[in-house]
């Protein structure tokens, strides 16, 4: 299993536009084969966290190459909604 956190920072004032795009991405991603968990949290007005669990790297790679991920990325980028995205891989201790 592969676990990661995506830290997503919206441009100031862009969170209200970004949130529906993230919600749609969550809904579509949860239907993917290989997705164990895909949870969105809002830490502050501009900071979002996506906690993800995947069966393996191949499932994550397929997600990153999916049409709905590309559509999210294009919409968020073209509208200048994203300030930063940082992905951290987590290791289970037990």
């Amino acid at each position: 299993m592969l676990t990661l956190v995506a830290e997503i920072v919206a441009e100031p004032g862009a969170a209200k536009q970004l949130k529906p795009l993230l919600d749609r991405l969550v809904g579509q991603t949860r239907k993917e084969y290989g997705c164990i968990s895909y949870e969105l949290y809002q830490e502050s007005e501009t900071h979002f966290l996506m906690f993800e669990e995947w069966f393996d790297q191949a499932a994550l790679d397929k997600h990153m190459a999916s049409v709905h991920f590309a559509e999210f990325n294009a919409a968020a980028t073209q509208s200048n909604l994203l300030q930063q995205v940082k992905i951290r891989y987590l290791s289970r201790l037990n």
Side-chain angles (χ1 to χ4, degrees):
M1 185 168 66
L2 188 62
T3 305
L4 59 100
V5 176
E7 298 177 60
I8 303 158
V9 181
E11 288 288 350
K16 287 184 181 181
Q17 290 175 277
L18 183 61
K19 175 99 172 44
L21 297 177
L22 288 167
D23 287 338
R24 191 165 84 216
L25 179 63
V26 168
Q28 293 169 323
T29 300
R30 286 180 178 165
K31 298 175 189 173
E32 290 182 50
Y33 177 79
C35 178
I36 298 168
S37 177
Y38 201 78
E39 302 294 330
L40 177 64
Y41 297 87
Q42 190 166 2
E43 188 175 38
S44 69
E45 184 177 335
T46 58
H47 287 71
F48 297 88
L49 297 173
M50 190 79 74
F51 287 89
E52 307 178 27
E53 291 183 311
W54 297 91
F55 284 142
D56 55 21
Q57 185 65 51
L60 176 59
D61 291 344
K62 188 172 180 180
H63 164 66
M64 300 294 280
S66 69
V67 170
H68 56 268
F69 187 80
E71 289 173 347
F72 162 79
N73 205 21
T77 302
Q78 290 171 359
S79 299
N80 295 317
L81 302 179
L82 297 174
Q83 187 177 90
Q84 178 183 0
V85 176
K86 181 180 177 183
I87 297 176
R88 295 182 305 164
Y89 289 84
L90 305 177
S91 297
R92 216 175 268 266
L93 296 178
N94 52 16

